[in-house]
Amino acid sequence: MTPPPAPSPLPISVLDLAPVLPVVVIDKAADAVPLARALVAGGLPAIEVTLRTPAALDAIRAIAAEVPDAVVGAGTVITPAAVADAVAAGARFLVSPGWSPALLAAMKTAGMPFLPGVSTASEVVALLEQGVREMKFFPAEAAGGTPYLKSLAAPLPQARFCPTGGITPAAAPSYLALPNVGCVGGTWMLPPDAIAAGDWPRVRALAHEAARLRP
């Protein structure tokens, strides 16, 4: 029997895999594999499956097992227990909307890349003190958008971000042009009606457009 293909190597940085990190909410685990395949085929190999639904962990397991070219991660990780569950399911990176000392300690010991969420300069400084240089900026548009991130670049050049929250394909290039932004998180390549209809070619086409957004 031919063994299954090995997954792609664990990334050193999630921020450098593609200009856009799809933020996926899975309601049916059966959608996970075709959805992931469509995103990867469109040029977006990193996939954040948010832990907001009962199907999320099963979706991560399925993608990890059946889509070796995908780098599947867990989002909305807000407790140490969620970190453990995500790692056990096969997640290869972790994303949180914010952080606490306990959550940060759990993510640090997970042995994989992670993006703790920040929205203020003080939170960024606190993470830099902990040796963390890559972060999620959330909620990006509500927290100040590109002007805020541009203002952080001069005093805090060590920090790099994945802004997420309210970003559209029209706004994404402005974020991606900033020196402290590695990628942006978004959902626009995942229309709910396309997912409900199983219209994976449409998802693939939207992913392809998103993969070409970097200036």
Side-chain angles (χ1 to χ4, degrees):
M1 180 181 296
T2 303
S8 53
L10 193 69
I12 296 174
S13 171
V14 179
L15 301 185
D16 298 324
L17 292 174
V20 179
L21 175 63
V23 180
V24 180
V25 179
I26 295 283
D27 291 311
K28 296 187 297 182
D31 290 337
V33 168
L35 176 59
R37 287 175 175 158
L39 291 171
V40 171
L44 301 180
I47 302 169
E48 176 189 337
V49 177
T50 65
L51 302 184
R52 302 180 195 173
T53 68
L57 291 173
D58 286 337
I60 292 171
R61 289 189 191 96
I63 295 170
E66 300 183 44
V67 191
D69 291 333
V71 180
V72 62
T76 321
V77 176
I78 58 174
T79 65
V83 171
D85 289 343
V87 172
R92 303 175 66 204
F93 64 89
L94 305 167
V95 184
S96 68
W99 66 279
S100 67
L103 178 59
L104 183 64
M107 290 192 292
K108 279 187 168 184
T109 60
M112 62 185 63
F114 60 92
L115 298 173
V118 297
S119 60
T120 69
S122 294
E123 291 170 324
V124 175
V125 170
L127 285 177
L128 290 173
E129 287 182 350
Q130 295 289 326
V132 179
R133 296 175 179 267
E134 298 190 345
M135 311 166 195
K136 172 179 179 174
F137 179 61
F138 176 83
E141 287 287 278
T146 54
Y148 192 91
L149 285 172
K150 186 176 182 180
S151 296
L152 290 181
L156 300 170
Q158 312 95 313
R160 296 179 72 215
F161 300 96
C162 173
T164 305
I167 298 177
T168 65
S174 296
Y175 281 94
L176 293 167
L178 297 175
N180 56 351
V181 169
C183 66
V184 299
T187 61
W188 69 84
M189 73 297 300
L190 303 161
D193 59 334
I195 295 174
D199 189 353
W200 311 125
R202 182 180 172 198
V203 172
R204 175 178 177 172
L206 291 170
H208 180 69
E209 292 174 4
R212 301 170 65 188
L213 280 175
R214 191 180 300 280

